[in-house]
Amino acid sequence: MANRTYGTVCPERQKEMSGLEFVKGLASGALPLNTIAQTLGYDVVEAESGRVAITLDPTGAHLGYGAWRSDSDASR
């Protein structure tokens, strides 16, 4: 996830794009990933109609995510 920026895209700018254009912008680095991507260690790497590919770096991920998922799954 080198050379990524993290933040938000204002609603006005989002409305100027289709969903696919938005996700392609995340994948190319033209748009910032949201800050939770940095916390959890994921990156959007590819986007095309009907498909989005992400990578997950578990060494950079916040360990609380695994506990949250376990708790979430156990409560069902």
Side-chain angles (χ1 to χ4, degrees), residues 33-53:
L33 293 169
N34 61 28
T35 55
I36 197 70
Q38 186 174 28
T39 302
L40 297 178
Y42 73 81
D43 190 5
V44 179
V45 294
E46 291 179 44
E48 59 186 55
S49 184
R51 181 177 170 275
V52 175

Side-chain angles (χ1 to χ4, degrees), residues 5-21:
T5 57
Y6 300 92
T8 58
V9 178
C10 70
E12 293 79 19
R13 187 166 180 203
Q14 289 180 22
K15 289 177 185 176
E16 295 171 354
M17 298 177 260
S18 69
L20 181 57
E21 289 170 327

Side-chain angles (χ1 to χ4, degrees), residues 51-72:
R51 181 177 170 275
V52 175
I54 64 167
T55 59
L56 177 64
D57 178 9
T59 60
H62 187 278
L63 297 178
Y65 177 74
W68 171 79
R69 285 295 306 159
S70 295
D71 289 346
S72 174

